[in-house]
Amino acid sequence: MTETAQPPYPAAEFGDGTTDPPTIPLPPVPADGAPGGPSDGPSGGPSDGSSHGPSHGPSNGLSGLETRDLTAWFGQRKVLERVSLQMRAGEITALIGPSGCGKSTYLRILNRMHEMVRGAALAGEVLLDGEDVYATGRRPAEVRRRIGMVFQRPNPFPAMSLYDNVISGLKLAGIKASRDERDHLVESSLRQAGLWDEVSNRLGTPGGALSGGQQQRLCIARSLAVSPEILLMDEPCSALDPTSTRRIEETIAELRHRLTIVIVTHNMQQAQRVSQSCAFFLASHDTPGRIVEAGPTERLFTSPADPRTADYVNGRFG
Amino acid sequence: MTAAVQPTETRVPPPEADRPRPISAPASPADRAFRGLLRAAGLSVFALMGLIAFFLLLRGTEAFDAVGWSFLTEQRWRTAAHSFGIAAVLPDGILIAVIALCIAVPVALTAALFISEYAPVRLRPTLISLVDLMAAIPSIVYGLWGLFFLQPRIVGFCRWLAVHLGGALPFLEVRTGDIATSYTSSTFIAGTVVSLMIIPIITSLSREVFSQAPAGEREGAYALGSTRWGMVRTVVLPFGRGGVIGAVMLGFGRAMGETIAVALIISPVFRLSWHVLENGGNSISSLIALRFSESDSLSLSALMAAGLVLFAITLLVNVAAGFIISRSRSGASTSD
């Protein structure tokens, strides 16, 4: 099972051809069995500099996310083991795998939601632009503002108006804005989330009055309003009908150029449709979740290196 | 399949076919028996309430007949002279309840928020049972504590209030001279003691609704970069608002009915006064407790009549509280 820590694909296959050398010295690699060098394994392989230097990387100032040897526990139970993955700036990374494989836990670790669960613990690093989000003294609220999240069940503030829902993040994060700025922000966020045309004439109605799909897009708009660098989506369409799902997928595709997206999905077709990179998680009853294989979505679906990946993406289990 | 559907679409349906058909859902004998039992129990509560009201009305009729409408406007309580009414005791009792609420609500709400949102999870059950324990202390104990412990110690504070703020806020003025007994046995002290008795119920109910604030919305707030206080303000407080209002009203109802502690502390005065720090005050329930030993039938009837008024007010407040709780999001069981 060593391939879980060092997935069996070469670095060149994962990257999109950018060959910039790392521009920021990498933090020391953990000594215990981590990938040996920057060109070996998922943490080193794709780290060709694109995520470490947003200002001078190839990705138009967008931020990337990376985890190194991430292990997570709930109490005594280990749910994730040594997950190293690069989520490239400006890309949509899909996390796939059967239920209970730890992908939602992984996602919640990325923006420090994991630690709010009682008994939750973790080891390893989550690097946002090369800086550990779990560094001592770093506030979770600041991390969460930069790494937004959309949940499985739409969770707008039901009694709050649509307008206030969109700008709620500003108030919560203590960001001041003038009336004009807020008006502008509400419109642009709702437009980006693909909801503006449907609600522009009733911004005063409460968030709870929308349909499920609209609520979810409202939640996306709400997340976008605080201009996060990363957007995490935890099965954002699993509670929605196919039409709403399609609208959300269109929204996600349009957002790709504005921020980096990591999406957990159970839907193979969705992963194929929206993502550029893909990571396949797998756990069994006695082993914690690990990444079996990660790489460009197309390759993972057409010529997976691991037979288990092939079985899963072809619907033979899970 | 289509052949079966086709005719019904083309044929004009007979007018009676569109009517809803009767649906019968016969309950099993066990269900019927249980439902009957519950219905009897539920109705007996209403019956009991009705009987109490009827009893008070019956016994109070003599007093109502004796003084008529002046029962509601007369401040004095001289049954022998056929001159008595609740115009002093009722507002005084409300005043005690309002003072109790002024002290209890901030304490209870912050305690409830602390327990449900801030206290370490391991400590929560202990804190909850401590608050519940507070409600289990007999009110005579609170009364004795108020009389022998609190009063001698709070008089200084009362005096300070009267001297420094009495000029600006007339209701804090004390006009009976600056001696120690001017400040004892006041509405304010009685209200302070009563506040301790209504803190548990307000805390308990508020904590309950706070803890029901949906986890999804909490996480939504946190995921936007909210601090804990921001989350509480945006999710927990709006969610719990209806429940809190209901809890406060229930507390008010209890404060209105609180008897023994008030009877112990207050020195009864049958003259309406808004000067809460002054010696003397009253409430219907303490009036009943203190005068119940009077044997003559008109006096008893007058007390019953006063009790009926208190009963009606408390009932009204509680019904309104229940209505607000059930209409609010936090109280409605269908909310998610």
Side-chain angles (χ1 to χ4, degrees):
Chain A
M1 292 296 276
T2 48
E3 75 275 14
T4 52
Q6 296 167 289
Y9 55 86
E13 243 185 304
F14 188 87
D16 61 1
T18 50
T19 52
D20 307 26
T23 47
I24 291 178
L26 294 169
V29 178
D32 44 1
S39 61
D40 184 10
S43 70
S47 69
D48 47 19
S50 57
S51 73
H52 292 302
S55 52
H56 46 264
S59 41
N60 310 324
L62 301 177
S63 303
L65 203 57
E66 180 185 355
T67 62
R68 290 187 183 166
D69 290 319
L70 210 61
T71 301
W73 295 265
F74 285 118
Q76 295 298 311
R77 199 165 57 89
K78 195 189 255 187
V79 291
L80 280 176
E81 188 168 72
R82 293 198 168 281
V83 178
S84 297
L85 182 68
Q86 176 93 33
M87 286 143 281
R88 299 168 52 80
E91 270 193 6
I92 299 174
T93 304
L95 311 180
I96 59 171
S99 297
C101 66
K103 43 191 199 314
S104 286
T105 303
Y106 178 77
L107 198 72
R108 292 168 59 89
I109 288 174
L110 296 181
N111 72 337
R112 298 193 63 166
M113 296 294 280
H114 175 65
E115 69 207 60
M116 300 203 305
V117 180
R118 215 179 151 193
L122 70 109
E125 286 179 320
V126 177
L127 304 178
L128 171 62
D129 279 341
E131 284 171 36
D132 189 5
V133 303
Y134 284 95
T136 313
R138 196 148 184 192
R139 285 172 205 268
E142 180 251 355
V143 171
R144 293 185 196 128
R145 197 193 59 68
R146 292 178 63 187
I147 307 179
M149 190 165 205
V150 174
F151 296 81
Q152 187 171 353
R153 282 191 63 179
N155 58 355
F157 302 126
M160 220 182 248
S161 71
L162 300 184
Y163 187 97
D164 287 337
N165 256 288
V166 176
I167 56 163
S168 57
L170 294 190
K171 283 185 192 150
L172 289 171
I175 304 169
K176 295 267 182 294
S178 71
R179 176 83 202 181
D180 281 352
E181 286 167 335
R182 281 185 310 214
D183 287 350
H184 179 75
L185 189 66
V186 167
E187 180 173 346
S188 71
S189 302
L190 284 171
R191 276 191 194 284
Q192 286 181 61
L195 190 59
W196 176 255
D197 294 336
E198 290 161 55
V199 302
S200 59
N201 56 353
R202 49 174 178 139
L203 292 174
T205 53
L210 298 180
S211 74
Q214 289 174 325
Q215 288 191 4
Q216 193 63 300
R217 276 178 282 149
L218 177 63
C219 291
I220 294 176
R222 184 177 71 178
S223 301
L224 294 175
V226 291
S227 33
E229 294 150 50
I230 317 276
L231 188 60
L232 310 177
M233 306 180 107
D234 189 359
E235 298 183 42
C237 304
S238 67
L240 306 179
D241 65 276
T243 314
S244 306
T245 301
R246 193 173 50 80
R247 295 284 291 117
I248 303 252
E249 284 183 16
E250 286 167 9
T251 303
I252 294 172
E254 282 161 25
L255 288 175
R256 182 196 159 191
H257 306 289
R258 299 198 173 90
L259 73 174
T260 306
I261 295 175
V262 184
I263 178 171
V264 165
T265 177
H266 272 126
N267 184 330
M268 292 302 113
Q269 285 76 37
Q270 184 171 69
Q272 253 177 310
R273 280 192 300 261
V274 302
S275 74
Q276 285 79 50
S277 293
C278 199
F280 173 49
F281 283 67
L282 193 58
S284 58
H285 53 276
D286 51 352
T287 55
R290 298 174 192 180
I291 290 185
V292 171
E293 191 170 356
T297 304
E298 211 185 318
R299 188 188 63 71
L300 217 72
F301 277 85
T302 53
S303 54
D306 194 292
R308 289 170 297 173
T309 315
D311 285 350
Y312 185 72
V313 299
N314 290 313
R316 281 195 281 271
F317 80 97
Chain B
M1 193 58 189
T2 46
V5 171
Q6 208 66 38
T8 55
E9 282 178 357
T10 49
R11 197 182 51 195
V12 177
E16 71 273 17
D18 229 11
R19 234 176 269 153
R21 55 174 292 186
I23 298 172
S24 78
S28 75
D31 267 350
R32 264 205 306 272
F34 191 57
R35 189 166 56 198
L37 187 75
L38 294 183
R39 192 175 288 161
L43 288 179
S44 66
V45 173
F46 282 104
L48 216 58
M49 295 285 282
L51 285 174
I52 292 173
F54 180 71
F55 165 81
L56 289 173
L57 192 65
L58 201 68
R59 300 291 302 271
T61 314
E62 189 188 344
F64 283 130
D65 284 346
V67 294
W69 287 110
S70 76
F71 184 71
L72 298 178
T73 52
E74 176 60 54
Q75 294 193 4
R76 283 171 302 177
W77 195 267
R78 288 186 198 139
T79 43
H82 279 227
S83 160
F84 56 88
I86 54 168
V89 284
L90 180 63
D92 266 353
I94 293 176
L95 209 56
I96 292 177
V98 167
I99 289 169
L101 282 186
C102 287
I103 299 169
V105 169
V107 175
L109 290 192
T110 44
L113 267 187
F114 175 72
I115 295 174
S116 80
E117 305 299 323
Y118 289 87
V121 178
R122 240 171 299 156
L123 209 62
R124 274 176 209 178
T126 317
L127 291 172
I128 292 170
S129 42
L130 268 179
V131 171
D132 290 345
L133 201 67
M134 241 180 113
I137 298 174
S139 62
I140 181 81
V141 175
Y142 281 110
L144 290 174
W145 176 85
L147 185 62
F148 293 112
F149 182 88
L150 181 70
Q151 181 157 284
R153 286 163 179 81
I154 206 175
V155 158
F157 174 67
C158 294
R159 186 173 168 221
W160 184 90
L161 276 181
V163 170
H164 290 92
L165 300 176
L169 305 166
F171 65 93
L172 292 177
E173 201 183 340
V174 170
R175 302 157 302 173
T176 44
D178 189 28
I179 50 170
T181 49
S182 306
Y183 301 100
T184 56
S185 305
S186 66
T187 308
F188 176 77
I189 295 175
T192 309
V193 174
V194 171
S195 79
L196 292 182
M197 281 176 256
I198 61 172
I199 281 174
I201 188 173
I202 301 179
T203 308
S204 220
L205 289 170
S206 310
R207 182 191 55 74
E208 194 61 41
V209 297
F210 289 155
S211 64
Q212 283 169 6
E217 286 168 44
R218 290 167 182 265
E219 292 200 324
Y222 279 130
L224 288 168
S226 172
T227 56
R228 190 178 292 235
W229 168 236
M231 188 281 293
V232 167
R233 231 179 32 205
T234 335
V235 178
V236 177
L237 291 181
F239 179 84
R241 193 178 57 202
V244 167
I245 293 174
V248 169
M249 290 176 74
L250 284 179
F252 181 78
R254 281 202 61 176
M256 283 290 290
E258 187 44 57
T259 309
I260 275 302
V262 178
L264 272 181
I265 288 168
I266 216 99
S267 67
V269 166
F270 294 93
R271 193 187 62 248
L272 180 56
S273 157
W274 300 105
H275 299 265
V276 296
L277 293 174
E278 271 179 20
N279 184 309
N282 226 325
S283 80
I284 290 183
S285 44
S286 75
L287 167 74
I288 295 174
L290 292 173
R291 293 289 181 92
F292 199 72
S293 49
E294 291 179 12
S295 53
D296 114 65
S297 108
L298 181 64
S299 300
L300 269 181
S301 173
L303 293 178
M304 293 294 175
L308 181 64
V309 172
L310 179 66
F311 176 82
I313 290 175
T314 315
L315 192 68
L316 219 66
V317 168
N318 283 11
V319 166
F323 183 71
I324 289 176
I325 292 178
S326 66
R327 284 287 301 274
S328 74
R329 237 185 106 218
S330 43
S333 52
T334 48
S335 75
D336 57 359

